[in-house]
Amino acid sequence: MERTLSIIKPDATRRSITGKINSMIEEAGLCIIAQKRILLSELEAEEFYGVHKERPFFRDLVKFITSGPVVVQVLEAENAISLYRKTMGATNPKEAEVGTIREAHAESIEANSVHGSDSAENAIKEINFFFEEKEIVG
């Protein structure tokens, strides 16, 4: 079994569609084994997205992710990382396959409703950023 991090972003929590997104996650065969709704501070967002610090979109990314509550989750399944990335769809919702979360719910390339880990190494780092092991119940 593999684990990945999921973040339901502020554009989705603002529209109260976390349940719809979680239904799509579970229907894809991913189990939600940890979940909490939080409001990231600017400092936390800067640390989490630190890999993008030198990119031109970094400040906008921090501003967006701190603009409202997010739902952070740990998902588990065989090949959870690739399965969730397929379930999310392309970053640009105009390029996302029909039936994916971003095709169905994203507002734009920036407000694309969800985040998922892009590698096993990052999944471990990202999960540990938000959760203690005792909070994860598989």
Side-chain angles (χ1 to χ4, degrees):
M1 292 301 254
E2 185 176 64
R3 292 177 176 175
T4 190
L5 182 82
S6 165
I7 301 176
I8 301 177
K9 296 180 179 179
D11 63 295
T13 61
R14 177 178 33 81
R15 292 178 286 143
S16 298
I17 58 171
T18 57
K20 289 178 182 178
I21 290 171
N22 281 337
S23 289
M24 294 175 81
I25 288 169
E26 291 178 330
E27 286 167 11
L30 292 145
C31 294
I32 301 168
I33 60 170
Q35 179 184 70
K36 55 187 166 183
R37 184 179 176 103
I38 61 172
L39 187 58
L40 284 168
S41 70
E42 189 172 331
L43 200 59
E44 289 169 325
E46 288 172 350
E47 183 180 346
F48 183 76
Y49 285 117
V51 67
H52 300 300
K53 192 169 190 142
E54 302 305 318
R55 301 241 175 127
F57 58 83
F58 178 71
R59 293 286 4 131
D60 288 339
L61 183 59
V62 168
K63 184 178 179 181
F64 170 67
I65 203 70
T66 59
S67 68
V70 297
V71 176
V72 291
Q73 305 179 123
V74 180
L75 309 180
E76 187 174 71
E78 293 288 332
N79 302 307
I81 295 165
S82 60
L83 179 57
Y84 187 47
R85 293 192 70 74
K86 182 179 181 207
T87 303
M88 288 190 304
T91 303
N92 183 346
K94 292 178 182 171
E95 298 171 3
E97 286 186 37
V98 172
T100 61
I101 294 169
R102 289 176 174 153
E103 181 271 333
H105 298 296
E107 294 180 317
S108 68
I109 195 167
E110 294 86 14
N112 61 17
S113 299
V114 288
H115 163 88
S117 305
D118 61 3
S119 68
E121 180 183 47
N122 283 339
I124 292 166
K125 285 182 200 172
E126 292 179 352
I127 289 167
N128 290 336
F129 186 87
F130 290 107
F131 293 94
E132 294 179 37
E133 191 59 37
K134 69 180 181 180
E135 296 177 293
I136 303 170
V137 183

